[in-house]
Amino acid sequence: MAETTLPAARAPLTRGRLATWLGATAAVLLASVVVAVTLGPAGLGPADVGQVVATRLGLGELLGLATPDRLADGIVWQLRLPRVLTAAAVGAGLAVCGVVMQSLLRNPLADPYLLGLSSGASLGAVSVLVLGWLAVLPVAAFVGAAAALVATLVLATSAGRGELSPARTVLAGLAVSQLAAAATSFVIFWSAQGDQYREILAWMLGSVAGSTWTSVAITAGAVLVLGTLLALTGSVLDAFTFGDTAAAALGVDVAKVRWGLLVVVALLTGALVSQSGAIGFVGLILPHAVRLVVGARHRALLPLSMVCGATFLVWADTLARTLFEPRELPVGIVTAAVGAPVFAALLWKGRTRP
């Protein structure tokens, strides 16, 4: 029988070509942020965005810029820019977590939520939503994600008699995810009333609407610290490509490294989900798409996936808020609508013929 696999990756990039790719994709990301902030019913242009940002940073007088209109200042600085930057940070974080999960578990279908993190976060968030405690929603979501991680790792380790194997980790994550999903459904069925259903659905589908500079600080700070740490593990993840035995032969402490990286992935994912809800397909699709272009070497794959993930989610959220304005879609709907056909195309391109 023919076997369906993902398409083969290209040859690895040289250092010079990697620098070129990083520079080009970073420029695209920067341009995307500026353009995304201008899009909407207010009719702002890039010059307006630059004027507001320069003034807010104390550079207006130095550059000889006039004081921006108060309405433009409010739209750019208080509404759109925090939302766009939060989307960029969440996209970058989910993409790099997806790369690490697929490498550690040697599973092309792995994503940041495979350990039950999204279901655990949803349980925590829904529990406080039905109680009306909106102020502690991010904290509850992070605690739920952390609890799901602990349950998954304890279950996987216990089943493996102290060993954390990829197969048992995946199965333990699925079990914890289903249990948390069942608990979430029970809480919704038993306690949710009126408009709480809409709030719960919006959160579970993923959204960066209502993001503030606090959201930017949390997501960007998590990506800067934890995401950078993951991006520097390229050589270690390369060692995992051919299995645990090969990695051990190359001097990698397989158990400690896998535990450590899974915990870092979980902490980063938990921080992101606490601000955006569970946005699907970013951590699953982007690693495969980037791998097709730049090859499978993690030295290039990790940073480029971060930049491409940021750009992808910026445009996905822009579509979510402008496609049917004045109504907005949860960004998770857009990422799923784009991600599912793309993933099907990857599978079709990678099919083997009998």
Side-chain angles (χ1 to χ4, degrees):
M1 292 180 63
E3 182 183 358
T4 300
T5 61
L6 292 173
R10 294 188 177 184
L13 296 179
T14 62
R15 289 184 180 273
R17 290 184 64 201
L18 174 58
T20 302
W21 272 101
L22 282 173
T25 53
V28 172
L29 173 60
L30 179 60
S32 298
V33 168
V34 174
V35 173
V37 174
T38 67
L39 296 178
L44 300 174
D48 299 311
V49 175
Q51 185 181 29
V52 170
V53 173
T55 302
R56 283 287 187 165
L57 296 178
L59 301 175
E61 294 184 5
L62 181 64
L63 298 176
L65 299 176
T67 302
D69 178 77
R70 290 183 62 184
L71 179 61
D73 179 82
I75 292 173
V76 172
W77 193 257
Q78 301 296 336
L79 297 177
R80 292 187 190 170
L81 190 57
R83 177 171 181 163
V84 171
L85 293 179
T86 300
V90 172
L94 291 178
V96 73
C97 287
V99 174
V100 174
M101 291 293 290
Q102 290 169 11
S103 176
L104 284 180
L105 302 178
R106 299 194 301 277
N107 187 335
L109 298 179
D111 72 356
Y113 305 139
L114 192 61
L115 300 180
L117 299 177
S118 64
S119 297
S122 296
L123 177 57
V126 168
S127 298
V128 298
L129 280 172
V130 298
L131 293 174
W133 299 346
L134 299 182
V136 298
L137 190 150
V139 176
F142 183 83
V143 170
L149 168 70
V150 172
T152 297
L153 295 182
V154 168
L155 179 59
T157 305
S158 301
R161 298 181 180 180
E163 295 183 4
L164 191 65
S165 69
R168 289 190 179 91
T169 303
V170 170
L171 294 175
L174 290 174
V176 172
S177 179
Q178 292 301 311
L179 180 61
T184 302
S185 299
F186 177 79
V187 171
I188 295 173
F189 175 79
W190 195 261
S191 303
Q193 298 177 357
D195 291 340
Q196 290 178 344
Y197 286 102
R198 181 180 293 273
E199 295 175 354
I200 291 169
L201 182 61
W203 195 92
M204 294 180 69
L205 291 174
S207 176
V208 291
S211 295
T212 64
W213 286 106
T214 300
S215 306
V216 176
I218 293 173
T219 55
V223 170
L224 183 63
V225 176
L226 301 175
T228 301
L229 181 61
L230 293 176
L232 296 175
T233 62
S235 59
V236 174
L237 294 177
D238 284 340
F240 276 92
T241 303
F242 300 103
D244 293 358
T245 302
L250 293 173
V252 176
D253 189 331
V254 173
K256 288 184 178 180
V257 169
R258 178 171 284 128
W259 266 93
L261 290 181
L262 287 177
V263 169
V264 173
V265 166
L267 291 175
L268 177 53
T269 304
L272 300 177
V273 170
S274 72
Q275 300 299 313
S276 67
I279 301 174
F281 275 97
V282 179
L284 175 62
I285 297 299
L286 264 296
H288 291 304
V290 175
R291 192 178 289 114
L292 286 174
V293 178
V294 304
R297 292 288 296 272
H298 289 86
R299 178 174 59 87
L301 182 59
L302 286 163
L304 284 172
S305 293
M306 292 181 71
V307 180
C308 292
T311 304
F312 172 76
L313 199 56
V314 165
W315 283 111
D317 181 60
T318 302
L319 281 176
R321 67 179 173 82
T322 61
L323 196 59
F324 298 107
E325 61 181 25
R327 301 187 65 177
E328 290 189 9
L329 294 174
V331 68
I333 293 178
V334 177
T335 58
V338 174
V342 169
F343 195 64
L346 290 175
L347 291 173
W348 179 258
K349 185 176 180 179
R351 73 193 188 283
T352 57
R353 299 185 184 278

